[in-house]
Amino acid sequence: MSTKPSLATSTLTRRKVGWSLVVLAAIAATAFLAMRNFASVNRAPDSPADERLVWIGTKTILLTPDQLGREMAEWYNSSEEATLAFELSDLSFVPNSSEVSPVGLARVRQIARLMQDHSAITTHIAAPVNVPSPADKVLDDQRAVSFRGALVAQGVDASRVTIVTEDDSTPTARESQIVVHLMK
């Protein structure tokens, strides 16, 4: 009696192994894509394209851009912290210019709506102190003026929107982005 497997058994075994490898590759690819998606959604706010960092008083939280408008309204209606602040990254402006981008205009509309509903709110736009070059400082200053102009164009009283220089007493002073401070 021969101990060699028959040709049919050998072919069947190869097919099982082949399909097993295909299934394992599909599972590995699915796991990789799921981890990559999770990492991109939950990454820390360390890139200049990230505008999720929000300060409410001394608390720091992460919000999606859609959540900011709701958080601003909740902040105003709370009796707690007097200041809410958030960054404007390069996404808020047209690349290499001071023109406010569609992302920035969405922020402008959120702030303007809140300020029109609540006359006690003032806004301070702080250009960063920590910038890599004098040219970046000039651009940031121009962007602060442009963002203020966009708020005024949306109907916010110009006297309620100021451009300020940050100092070391604010939690946002170390940031290299423009920071918008809402105060009640």
Side-chain angles (χ1 to χ4, degrees), residues 11 17 57 91 98:
T11 303
V17 169
L91 287 178
S98 62

Side-chain angles (χ1 to χ4, degrees), residues 23 27 30-31 34 36 41 52 57 60 74 79-80 83 86 104 112 126 133 142 152-153 160 172 180:
V23 169
I27 291 170
T30 302
R36 188 181 75 179
V41 169
R52 298 180 298 159
T60 303
E74 288 176 14
S79 61
E80 295 178 14
T83 303
F86 57 89
S133 73
Q142 291 170 346
V152 171
R160 295 173 56 205
T172 60
V180 176

Side-chain angles (χ1 to χ4, degrees), residues 91-158:
L91 287 178
S92 289
F93 301 93
V94 173
N96 301 314
S97 84
S98 62
E99 182 182 346
V100 180
S101 73
V103 171
L105 288 174
R107 291 282 173 103
V108 165
R109 286 189 292 274
Q110 289 171 325
I111 297 167
R113 190 174 314 119
L114 185 69
M115 290 184 76
Q116 290 164 349
D117 290 346
H118 306 287
S119 61
I121 295 176
T122 58
T123 298
H124 300 291
I125 302 167
V129 176
N130 300 319
V131 292
S133 73
D136 288 332
K137 175 71 174 135
V138 168
L139 181 59
D140 285 337
D141 290 344
Q142 291 170 346
R143 286 177 168 182
V145 169
S146 180
F147 196 81
R148 179 183 184 276
L151 282 168
V152 171
Q154 286 287 316
V156 175
D157 184 344

Side-chain angles (χ1 to χ4, degrees), residues 67-78 84 114 118:
Q67 294 171 314
L68 182 61
R70 183 174 57 249
E71 187 64 35
M72 285 191 300
E74 288 176 14
W75 159 78
Y76 182 79
N77 291 321
S78 76
L84 180 142
L114 185 69
H118 306 287

